[in-house]
Amino acid sequence: MRTFEYVRATDTQEVVRLLAEDPSASCLAGGTTQLDLMKDGVLEPPTLIDITRLPLHGIERRGESLHVGALATMEELAADATVAERLPVVREALLMGASVQLRNMATIGGNLLQRTRCRYFRDPMVLECNKRAPGTGCAAVQGAARMHAVLGVNENCIALHASDLAVALVALDAVVHVQGLSGRRSVPLTEFYVTADESPERENVLEHAELITEVEIPLPPPSARSGYLKVRDRMSYEFALTSAAVVLVVEDGTIRQARVGLGGVGSKPWRAYEAEHVLTGAPATSATFLDASEATMRDAWTVPGTAFKVPLARRTLVRELQTVSGVTA
């Protein structure tokens, strides 16, 4: 690891000012991704701003919304009473997303900003990476692509977004609150991320001198049921091959509300609007679930290493729709 300047900040506006003054500076919170990338030589910030002392901790329910400080940890959010009662999809995504040790260090803001796990992006010896070095190509397209994306990608980049939590939060219409030089703004999480086929080198709309301060999660109706299914190579800590976050309101056998997020398949946490269109107003049957799963994967772009993800993602979604609805026929 190369030498760098370490700065500990205690005020949010101070962090924004420091970032604005140094376009190469970077923030440090839980460090579970940042320090790995620095050790690998992927990131080499000359200045690291420690933001763990900022007043961005805490989780608070206000009416029918849950407000989560950006520095709350994954473990704290998973243990929150409102999450356990009203947001099982969030709790399951958190518990499946990392080991206990990592959950106690990793922050919610950092989880949403985690970089791709693409092995070619994380290896500076690989020269062809449009995400790390725009214009150089994508080694993954012709390489080992088992852990790569099939939605929101093309021949320029097939890197996968790895956050389980973000998949659950896009299904819940969560909002990210941001502070920057010009003040504060709010961005729906469904509009926060940029797909790889739009801009491989950029993963979200956050500007350099902006900081996530809070995540607001609207609570689904009390009658809603939700859940998260993650398919992976092993049951212990592992990234998703495919995953599905499902929130349903079913009344008298008809699906009144449906919100679906998909993970392990997209260059960003994928909101499956096509599946929701099929589900909403339809009878809660396995035939409906199958139609929804086929609709959401129609635009998949695959290479030989990722082709298996299309049928696997369909089966993952059908199974979680069955589990959440209680309908198997």
Short mmCIF file of all heavy atoms in Angstrom, two decimals, residues 243-288:
data_model
loop_
_atom_site.label_atom_id
_atom_site.label_comp_id
_atom_site.label_asym_id
_atom_site.label_seq_id
_atom_site.Cartn_x
_atom_site.Cartn_y
_atom_site.Cartn_z
N SER A 243 -30.47 -13.34 -7.19
CA SER A 243 -31.26 -13.10 -5.99
C SER A 243 -32.54 -12.37 -6.38
O SER A 243 -32.62 -11.78 -7.45
CB SER A 243 -30.47 -12.29 -4.95
OG SER A 243 -30.27 -10.96 -5.39
N ALA A 244 -33.52 -12.43 -5.48
CA ALA A 244 -34.80 -11.76 -5.74
C ALA A 244 -35.34 -11.19 -4.44
O ALA A 244 -35.41 -11.88 -3.42
CB ALA A 244 -35.81 -12.73 -6.34
N ALA A 245 -35.71 -9.91 -4.47
CA ALA A 245 -36.40 -9.24 -3.36
C ALA A 245 -37.84 -9.01 -3.79
O ALA A 245 -38.08 -8.41 -4.85
CB ALA A 245 -35.72 -7.92 -3.03
N VAL A 246 -38.78 -9.50 -2.99
CA VAL A 246 -40.19 -9.46 -3.38
C VAL A 246 -41.01 -8.82 -2.26
O VAL A 246 -40.86 -9.17 -1.09
CB VAL A 246 -40.71 -10.88 -3.67
CG1 VAL A 246 -42.23 -10.88 -3.83
CG2 VAL A 246 -40.04 -11.43 -4.92
N VAL A 247 -41.88 -7.87 -2.64
CA VAL A 247 -42.85 -7.27 -1.73
C VAL A 247 -44.22 -7.39 -2.38
O VAL A 247 -44.43 -6.89 -3.49
CB VAL A 247 -42.53 -5.78 -1.46
CG1 VAL A 247 -43.52 -5.21 -0.43
CG2 VAL A 247 -41.10 -5.60 -0.99
N LEU A 248 -45.15 -8.07 -1.70
CA LEU A 248 -46.47 -8.33 -2.30
C LEU A 248 -47.58 -7.95 -1.34
O LEU A 248 -47.46 -8.13 -0.12
CB LEU A 248 -46.62 -9.82 -2.63
CG LEU A 248 -45.80 -10.43 -3.76
CD1 LEU A 248 -46.14 -11.92 -3.88
CD2 LEU A 248 -46.05 -9.72 -5.09
N VAL A 249 -48.68 -7.45 -1.90
CA VAL A 249 -49.95 -7.35 -1.20
C VAL A 249 -50.95 -8.19 -1.99
O VAL A 249 -51.24 -7.89 -3.16
CB VAL A 249 -50.44 -5.90 -1.09
CG1 VAL A 249 -51.83 -5.86 -0.44
CG2 VAL A 249 -49.45 -5.05 -0.29
N VAL A 250 -51.45 -9.24 -1.38
CA VAL A 250 -52.40 -10.15 -2.04
C VAL A 250 -53.71 -10.13 -1.27
O VAL A 250 -53.73 -10.34 -0.05
CB VAL A 250 -51.84 -11.59 -2.10
CG1 VAL A 250 -52.85 -12.52 -2.80
CG2 VAL A 250 -50.51 -11.61 -2.83
N GLU A 251 -54.80 -9.86 -1.98
CA GLU A 251 -56.13 -9.83 -1.36
C GLU A 251 -57.08 -10.72 -2.15
O GLU A 251 -57.20 -10.57 -3.39
CB GLU A 251 -56.67 -8.39 -1.35
CG GLU A 251 -55.85 -7.44 -0.49
CD GLU A 251 -56.33 -6.00 -0.58
OE1 GLU A 251 -57.20 -5.72 -1.44
OE2 GLU A 251 -55.84 -5.16 0.18
N ASP A 252 -57.72 -11.64 -1.47
CA ASP A 252 -58.68 -12.55 -2.11
C ASP A 252 -58.10 -13.23 -3.35
O ASP A 252 -58.78 -13.38 -4.38
CB ASP A 252 -59.97 -11.79 -2.48
CG ASP A 252 -60.65 -11.17 -1.27
OD1 ASP A 252 -60.60 -11.80 -0.19
OD2 ASP A 252 -61.18 -10.07 -1.40
N GLY A 253 -56.85 -13.60 -3.27
CA GLY A 253 -56.22 -14.34 -4.36
C GLY A 253 -55.71 -13.49 -5.51
O GLY A 253 -55.18 -14.02 -6.48
N THR A 254 -55.87 -12.15 -5.40
CA THR A 254 -55.39 -11.25 -6.45
C THR A 254 -54.24 -10.40 -5.92
O THR A 254 -54.27 -9.92 -4.79
CB THR A 254 -56.53 -10.32 -6.92
OG1 THR A 254 -57.58 -11.12 -7.46
CG2 THR A 254 -56.04 -9.35 -7.99
N ILE A 255 -53.24 -10.21 -6.77
CA ILE A 255 -52.07 -9.41 -6.37
C ILE A 255 -52.43 -7.92 -6.54
O ILE A 255 -52.59 -7.44 -7.66
CB ILE A 255 -50.85 -9.77 -7.25
CG1 ILE A 255 -50.54 -11.27 -7.12
CG2 ILE A 255 -49.64 -8.94 -6.84
CD1 ILE A 255 -49.54 -11.77 -8.15
N ARG A 256 -52.57 -7.22 -5.44
CA ARG A 256 -52.91 -5.79 -5.49
C ARG A 256 -51.68 -4.91 -5.67
O ARG A 256 -51.74 -3.88 -6.34
CB ARG A 256 -53.65 -5.39 -4.20
CG ARG A 256 -54.93 -6.17 -3.95
CD ARG A 256 -55.91 -5.98 -5.09
NE ARG A 256 -57.16 -6.71 -4.84
CZ ARG A 256 -58.11 -6.87 -5.74
NH1 ARG A 256 -57.96 -6.37 -6.96
NH2 ARG A 256 -59.21 -7.55 -5.44
N GLN A 257 -50.58 -5.27 -5.05
CA GLN A 257 -49.32 -4.53 -5.20
C GLN A 257 -48.18 -5.53 -5.34
O GLN A 257 -48.17 -6.57 -4.67
CB GLN A 257 -49.05 -3.62 -4.00
CG GLN A 257 -50.02 -2.46 -3.82
CD GLN A 257 -49.61 -1.56 -2.66
OE1 GLN A 257 -48.43 -1.45 -2.33
NE2 GLN A 257 -50.59 -0.93 -2.04
N ALA A 258 -47.22 -5.18 -6.19
CA ALA A 258 -46.04 -6.03 -6.37
C ALA A 258 -44.83 -5.16 -6.65
O ALA A 258 -44.87 -4.27 -7.51
CB ALA A 258 -46.26 -7.00 -7.52
N ARG A 259 -43.78 -5.40 -5.89
CA ARG A 259 -42.51 -4.72 -6.16
C ARG A 259 -41.39 -5.76 -6.09
O ARG A 259 -41.34 -6.56 -5.15
CB ARG A 259 -42.28 -3.59 -5.16
CG ARG A 259 -43.10 -2.34 -5.51
CD ARG A 259 -42.88 -1.23 -4.53
NE ARG A 259 -43.69 -1.42 -3.35
CZ ARG A 259 -43.58 -0.67 -2.26
NH1 ARG A 259 -42.68 0.28 -2.20
NH2 ARG A 259 -44.35 -0.89 -1.22
N VAL A 260 -40.54 -5.70 -7.11
CA VAL A 260 -39.53 -6.76 -7.27
C VAL A 260 -38.17 -6.14 -7.57
O VAL A 260 -38.04 -5.26 -8.43
CB VAL A 260 -39.93 -7.70 -8.43
CG1 VAL A 260 -38.84 -8.76 -8.65
CG2 VAL A 260 -41.28 -8.36 -8.15
N GLY A 261 -37.16 -6.61 -6.86
CA GLY A 261 -35.77 -6.27 -7.16
C GLY A 261 -35.00 -7.55 -7.47
O GLY A 261 -35.28 -8.59 -6.89
N LEU A 262 -34.06 -7.45 -8.39
CA LEU A 262 -33.24 -8.61 -8.74
C LEU A 262 -31.76 -8.30 -8.50
O LEU A 262 -31.30 -7.20 -8.80
CB LEU A 262 -33.44 -8.99 -10.21
CG LEU A 262 -34.84 -9.44 -10.63
CD1 LEU A 262 -34.86 -9.72 -12.13
CD2 LEU A 262 -35.29 -10.67 -9.85
N GLY A 263 -31.05 -9.28 -7.97
CA GLY A 263 -29.62 -9.14 -7.74
C GLY A 263 -28.85 -10.25 -8.43
O GLY A 263 -29.42 -11.27 -8.85
N GLY A 264 -27.55 -10.06 -8.58
CA GLY A 264 -26.70 -11.07 -9.21
C GLY A 264 -26.83 -11.10 -10.72
O GLY A 264 -26.18 -11.93 -11.37
N VAL A 265 -27.64 -10.22 -11.29
CA VAL A 265 -27.86 -10.22 -12.74
C VAL A 265 -27.65 -8.86 -13.38
O VAL A 265 -27.49 -8.76 -14.59
CB VAL A 265 -29.27 -10.72 -13.11
CG1 VAL A 265 -29.42 -12.20 -12.79
CG2 VAL A 265 -30.35 -9.91 -12.40
N GLY A 266 -27.64 -7.78 -12.58
CA GLY A 266 -27.61 -6.44 -13.16
C GLY A 266 -26.33 -5.68 -12.88
O GLY A 266 -25.66 -5.91 -11.87
N SER A 267 -26.02 -4.74 -13.76
CA SER A 267 -24.90 -3.83 -13.50
C SER A 267 -25.27 -2.82 -12.42
O SER A 267 -24.43 -2.04 -11.97
CB SER A 267 -24.50 -3.11 -14.78
OG SER A 267 -25.61 -2.38 -15.31
N LYS A 268 -26.54 -2.82 -12.04
CA LYS A 268 -27.01 -2.06 -10.88
C LYS A 268 -28.08 -2.91 -10.21
O LYS A 268 -28.60 -3.86 -10.81
CB LYS A 268 -27.58 -0.71 -11.31
CG LYS A 268 -28.83 -0.80 -12.16
CD LYS A 268 -29.36 0.58 -12.49
CE LYS A 268 -30.68 0.52 -13.24
NZ LYS A 268 -31.22 1.88 -13.52
N PRO A 269 -28.43 -2.61 -8.95
CA PRO A 269 -29.53 -3.35 -8.32
C PRO A 269 -30.78 -3.15 -9.18
O PRO A 269 -31.22 -2.02 -9.39
CB PRO A 269 -29.65 -2.70 -6.94
CG PRO A 269 -28.91 -1.41 -7.04
CD PRO A 269 -27.85 -1.59 -8.06
N TRP A 270 -31.35 -4.25 -9.66
CA TRP A 270 -32.30 -4.19 -10.77
C TRP A 270 -33.75 -4.17 -10.30
O TRP A 270 -34.21 -5.11 -9.67
CB TRP A 270 -32.09 -5.38 -11.70
CG TRP A 270 -32.60 -5.13 -13.07
CD1 TRP A 270 -33.80 -5.54 -13.60
CD2 TRP A 270 -31.93 -4.40 -14.10
NE1 TRP A 270 -33.90 -5.09 -14.89
CE2 TRP A 270 -32.76 -4.39 -15.23
CE3 TRP A 270 -30.69 -3.75 -14.17
CZ2 TRP A 270 -32.42 -3.75 -16.42
CZ3 TRP A 270 -30.34 -3.11 -15.36
CH2 TRP A 270 -31.20 -3.12 -16.46
N ARG A 271 -34.45 -3.09 -10.60
CA ARG A 271 -35.88 -3.01 -10.33
C ARG A 271 -36.61 -3.66 -11.51
O ARG A 271 -36.51 -3.19 -12.65
CB ARG A 271 -36.32 -1.56 -10.16
CG ARG A 271 -37.81 -1.39 -9.88
CD ARG A 271 -38.22 -1.87 -8.49
NE ARG A 271 -39.65 -1.64 -8.27
CZ ARG A 271 -40.16 -0.57 -7.66
NH1 ARG A 271 -39.33 0.35 -7.19
NH2 ARG A 271 -41.45 -0.43 -7.51
N ALA A 272 -37.34 -4.71 -11.24
CA ALA A 272 -37.97 -5.51 -12.30
C ALA A 272 -39.37 -4.98 -12.59
O ALA A 272 -40.39 -5.61 -12.26
CB ALA A 272 -37.99 -6.97 -11.90
N TYR A 273 -39.45 -3.85 -13.27
CA TYR A 273 -40.74 -3.24 -13.57
C TYR A 273 -41.59 -4.13 -14.47
O TYR A 273 -42.83 -4.16 -14.36
CB TYR A 273 -40.54 -1.88 -14.24
CG TYR A 273 -39.94 -0.83 -13.34
CD1 TYR A 273 -38.65 -0.36 -13.55
CD2 TYR A 273 -40.69 -0.29 -12.29
CE1 TYR A 273 -38.10 0.61 -12.72
CE2 TYR A 273 -40.15 0.69 -11.46
CZ TYR A 273 -38.85 1.13 -11.68
OH TYR A 273 -38.32 2.09 -10.85
N GLU A 274 -40.93 -4.86 -15.39
CA GLU A 274 -41.69 -5.73 -16.30
C GLU A 274 -42.42 -6.82 -15.52
O GLU A 274 -43.58 -7.15 -15.81
CB GLU A 274 -40.75 -6.37 -17.33
CG GLU A 274 -40.05 -5.38 -18.25
CD GLU A 274 -38.76 -4.84 -17.65
OE1 GLU A 274 -38.48 -5.12 -16.45
OE2 GLU A 274 -38.03 -4.13 -18.36
N ALA A 275 -41.76 -7.36 -14.52
CA ALA A 275 -42.40 -8.39 -13.69
C ALA A 275 -43.56 -7.80 -12.89
O ALA A 275 -44.63 -8.41 -12.78
CB ALA A 275 -41.37 -9.00 -12.74
N GLU A 276 -43.36 -6.61 -12.36
CA GLU A 276 -44.41 -5.96 -11.57
C GLU A 276 -45.65 -5.70 -12.43
O GLU A 276 -46.78 -5.82 -11.96
CB GLU A 276 -43.88 -4.65 -10.99
CG GLU A 276 -42.75 -4.86 -9.99
CD GLU A 276 -42.14 -3.54 -9.53
OE1 GLU A 276 -42.71 -2.47 -9.85
OE2 GLU A 276 -41.10 -3.58 -8.86
N HIS A 277 -45.43 -5.33 -13.69
CA HIS A 277 -46.56 -5.07 -14.60
C HIS A 277 -47.38 -6.33 -14.81
O HIS A 277 -48.62 -6.28 -14.85
CB HIS A 277 -46.02 -4.55 -15.94
CG HIS A 277 -47.08 -4.27 -16.95
ND1 HIS A 277 -47.95 -3.19 -16.85
CD2 HIS A 277 -47.45 -4.95 -18.07
CE1 HIS A 277 -48.79 -3.21 -17.88
NE2 HIS A 277 -48.51 -4.27 -18.63
N VAL A 278 -46.71 -7.45 -14.95
CA VAL A 278 -47.41 -8.73 -15.13
C VAL A 278 -48.15 -9.13 -13.85
O VAL A 278 -49.28 -9.61 -13.89
CB VAL A 278 -46.41 -9.83 -15.55
CG1 VAL A 278 -47.09 -11.20 -15.56
CG2 VAL A 278 -45.81 -9.52 -16.91
N LEU A 279 -47.53 -8.90 -12.72
CA LEU A 279 -48.08 -9.38 -11.44
C LEU A 279 -49.28 -8.55 -10.96
O LEU A 279 -50.27 -9.12 -10.46
CB LEU A 279 -46.99 -9.34 -10.37
CG LEU A 279 -45.83 -10.32 -10.54
CD1 LEU A 279 -44.68 -9.94 -9.62
CD2 LEU A 279 -46.29 -11.75 -10.25
N THR A 280 -49.20 -7.25 -11.11
CA THR A 280 -50.21 -6.38 -10.50
C THR A 280 -51.59 -6.59 -11.14
O THR A 280 -51.76 -6.48 -12.36
CB THR A 280 -49.80 -4.91 -10.64
OG1 THR A 280 -48.51 -4.73 -10.04
CG2 THR A 280 -50.81 -4.00 -9.93
N GLY A 281 -52.57 -6.93 -10.31
CA GLY A 281 -53.93 -7.17 -10.78
C GLY A 281 -54.18 -8.59 -11.26
O GLY A 281 -55.31 -8.94 -11.61
N ALA A 282 -53.14 -9.40 -11.29
CA ALA A 282 -53.27 -10.78 -11.78
C ALA A 282 -53.54 -11.74 -10.60
O ALA A 282 -53.24 -11.43 -9.45
CB ALA A 282 -52.00 -11.19 -12.51
N PRO A 283 -54.10 -12.92 -10.90
CA PRO A 283 -54.29 -13.91 -9.84
C PRO A 283 -52.93 -14.40 -9.34
O PRO A 283 -51.98 -14.54 -10.11
CB PRO A 283 -55.07 -15.03 -10.54
CG PRO A 283 -54.80 -14.86 -11.99
CD PRO A 283 -54.62 -13.39 -12.21
N ALA A 284 -52.86 -14.64 -8.05
CA ALA A 284 -51.61 -15.12 -7.45
C ALA A 284 -51.49 -16.62 -7.69
O ALA A 284 -51.91 -17.45 -6.88
CB ALA A 284 -51.58 -14.82 -5.96
N THR A 285 -50.92 -16.97 -8.83
CA THR A 285 -50.73 -18.37 -9.20
C THR A 285 -49.31 -18.57 -9.70
O THR A 285 -48.64 -17.61 -10.11
CB THR A 285 -51.70 -18.80 -10.30
OG1 THR A 285 -51.39 -18.05 -11.50
CG2 THR A 285 -53.15 -18.53 -9.90
N SER A 286 -48.89 -19.80 -9.74
CA SER A 286 -47.54 -20.08 -10.24
C SER A 286 -47.42 -19.74 -11.71
O SER A 286 -46.33 -19.37 -12.19
CB SER A 286 -47.19 -21.55 -9.99
OG SER A 286 -47.01 -21.80 -8.61
N ALA A 287 -48.54 -19.84 -12.47
CA ALA A 287 -48.51 -19.47 -13.89
C ALA A 287 -48.23 -17.98 -14.04
O ALA A 287 -47.44 -17.56 -14.92
CB ALA A 287 -49.84 -19.84 -14.54
N THR A 288 -48.84 -17.16 -13.19
CA THR A 288 -48.56 -15.72 -13.22
C THR A 288 -47.10 -15.45 -12.86
O THR A 288 -46.43 -14.62 -13.50
CB THR A 288 -49.48 -14.99 -12.21
OG1 THR A 288 -50.84 -15.20 -12.59
CG2 THR A 288 -49.18 -13.50 -12.19
#
